[in-house]
Amino acid sequence: MNIPLVGAACLVASVLSGCNNSKPVSIKSSSPQAYEALTLEPKPTVIYNDFPATIEGIEIVQLRPMVDGYLEKIYVPEGANVSKGELLFQIQNPIYEQAVITARAGVQSAQANVDAARMNVEKVRPLVEKDIVSKYELESAQYTLQSQQAALDQANASLHNAQTNVGYTTLRSPITGVMGSIPYKIGDLISSTTSTPLTSLSRIDQVYAYFALSEKQLLNLSNRVPGATLQDKLNHLPAVSLVLADGSNYPQKGRLETASGFISTGTGTVSLKAQFVNPTGLIRSGASSVVRIPRDIDTALLVPQSATYQLQDKTFVYLLIDGNRVISMPITATATNDGKFLVVSQGLRRGDRILINGLNLRDSTVVVPRPVNADSLYGK
């Protein structure tokens, strides 16, 4: 019964003896790893804000008929370039032509009556001077002449109105521009009360790109740009660019203007427009585009995108503190348009050192920083 106890005692003694004869084990601590570090210094840069926009010609005219009738001729096809005064449509309505004939006959009749009344005055006047007839006869003849003259004026006005109506049957372009779509065909009955115009004409030698700013964006613009009014502030901004639907940059620069003086209660936005010259007619009304507004920053703190990481919708960098220890620092930043850098607005300051190639480091980890050349990093 005591043998197992003795064996256990021997085993314990053997273990203890082995421990006493073994050498002490040393625990080696890992040495700090080397990482590239960047010292932040302000640098000039340009960032861009893009806003979806819709193109409209500087002048858009809806062409509507002034008289009723049948569409007899269409002289210019849809989408064609037209000049001011160029013939576009012909409306047929014989009533207006007959009205001119009738009015012209009325003018001839009234003119004959005026001539007869004038002859009567000339006939009566010497008889009155010789006291052959009473002076009232002359006055009566003169009143008759005035009445016939008024009738002639009325006939001339009727003729002018009839000719004006006939003129309305011929429609010419009021501006130099581009024809829009024509919803009517030859032979269609059109009316001056029809809601749909014959066509729309767009002057596109200059165009407007309409876009919207949110209330917050408008306040940010007002706070950082000098000027007493919104237009004054827009005048202080540099020229803007236009990005076309295919992603290409339009070669001409534009200037910003106000399009609406109030914030829409429905959308919470204010409408602005950028004016661009369009000498070749490349941009057409109704086209979609992007207005790109540059913003010059003289003292920007630029952080490479590769030096940041995302956690719960926040952006962090590894900031070096005393003793070359690192901590995770949240930053507020805006990406540059090439996507390579972030312009930091909060979280970092001039002279701070950040790691360029740190990955999954714990806070307070000690590292060996290796300075990088800022000019080569920024491509200068």
Side-chain angles (χ1 to χ4, degrees):
M1 298 297 293
N2 294 328
I3 293 176
L5 294 177
V6 174
C10 292
L11 178 62
V12 172
S14 174
V15 171
L16 292 175
S17 176
C19 291
N20 290 334
N21 294 332
S22 64
K23 295 180 180 180
V25 178
S26 62
I27 301 175
K28 295 182 179 180
S29 59
S30 60
S31 60
Q33 299 294 314
Y35 294 93
E36 293 182 338
L38 172 67
T39 301
L40 297 179
E41 293 293 338
K43 293 185 175 294
T45 189
V46 180
I47 61 175
Y48 300 92
N49 294 318
D50 290 349
F51 301 92
T54 301
I55 300 295
E56 288 188 10
I58 194 171
E59 188 176 3
I60 298 178
V61 178
Q62 290 186 338
L63 196 63
R64 298 178 181 274
M66 297 290 291
V67 294
D68 302 340
Y70 294 94
L71 187 58
E72 183 179 12
K73 291 182 180 179
I74 300 175
Y75 293 98
V76 178
E78 297 174 329
N81 294 319
V82 297
S83 303
K84 184 177 181 179
E86 185 174 349
L87 184 61
L88 302 181
F89 300 99
Q90 182 69 48
I91 299 174
Q92 181 185 26
N93 193 330
I95 294 178
Y96 300 114
E97 297 175 359
Q98 294 299 322
V100 170
I101 296 174
T102 301
R104 188 174 287 115
V107 168
Q108 293 176 349
S109 176
Q111 183 64 56
N113 291 335
V114 168
D115 294 341
R118 184 176 291 110
M119 290 178 60
N120 190 42
V121 168
E122 296 301 325
K123 182 181 69 174
V124 173
R125 179 176 286 112
L127 297 178
V128 171
E129 292 173 354
K130 295 179 181 180
D131 291 331
I132 297 175
V133 297
S134 170
K135 64 178 182 178
Y136 296 108
E137 293 290 337
L138 178 59
E139 292 178 355
S140 177
Q142 290 174 337
Y143 289 148
T144 300
L145 176 60
Q146 293 176 4
S147 176
Q148 296 299 333
Q149 185 63 54
L152 176 60
D153 293 341
Q154 185 176 6
N156 281 321
S158 297
L159 176 60
H160 179 73
N161 290 336
Q163 291 172 335
T164 299
N165 288 334
V166 169
Y168 288 148
T169 61
T170 300
L171 284 81
R172 298 180 179 274
S173 177
I175 62 172
T176 297
V178 178
M179 284 275 289
S181 61
I182 304 174
Y184 299 95
K185 305 300 179 184
I186 293 177
D188 286 349
L189 178 63
I190 58 177
S191 171
S192 58
T193 59
T194 303
S195 59
T196 304
L198 282 172
T199 190
S200 295
L201 297 168
S202 177
R203 176 188 162 195
I204 60 171
D205 57 325
Q206 297 186 54
V207 295
Y208 287 126
Y210 286 87
F211 64 99
L213 287 182
S214 67
E215 187 174 359
K216 182 179 179 180
Q217 291 170 330
L218 181 62
L219 290 175
N220 290 336
L221 176 68
S222 299
N223 291 333
R224 66 179 176 84
V225 179
T229 64
L230 177 57
Q231 186 58 54
D232 288 340
K233 295 177 183 295
L234 296 179
N235 291 338
H236 280 86
L237 292 176
V240 300
S241 303
L242 190 68
V243 182
L244 303 180
D246 61 355
S248 62
N249 290 316
Y250 184 63
Q252 304 288 344
K253 299 292 185 180
R255 302 296 305 181
L256 292 179
E257 300 179 12
T258 56
S260 175
F262 58 89
I263 297 176
S264 171
T265 56
T267 61
T269 60
V270 62
S271 181
L272 300 179
K273 61 185 178 182
Q275 183 176 352
F276 297 87
V277 296
N278 187 32
T280 62
L282 174 64
I283 313 175
R284 295 300 179 107
S285 290
S288 59
S289 60
V290 171
V291 172
R292 177 165 289 173
I293 303 177
R295 179 184 175 187
D296 296 321
I297 303 177
D298 296 329
T299 56
L301 293 179
L302 295 177
V303 172
Q305 284 275 14
S306 59
T308 66
Y309 67 94
Q310 301 290 322
L311 182 63
Q312 295 181 351
D313 297 332
K314 292 185 178 180
T315 303
F316 292 84
V317 296
Y318 288 116
L319 176 66
L320 281 168
I321 59 176
D322 294 340
N324 289 332
R325 291 179 293 118
V326 298
I327 60 171
S328 298
M329 177 62 65
I331 61 172
T332 301
T334 302
T336 57
N337 288 83
D338 59 9
K340 296 180 179 180
F341 300 94
L342 293 177
V343 180
V344 180
S345 57
Q346 292 181 0
L348 296 174
R349 58 185 179 179
R350 180 176 184 172
D352 284 344
R353 294 182 302 162
I354 63 171
L355 297 187
I356 299 301
N357 59 339
L359 181 63
N360 296 330
L361 296 177
R362 292 183 178 181
D363 284 354
S364 297
T365 300
V366 178
V367 300
V368 178
R370 290 182 177 176
V372 298
N373 186 281
D375 290 339
S376 62
L377 181 66
Y378 294 124
K380 295 182 180 180

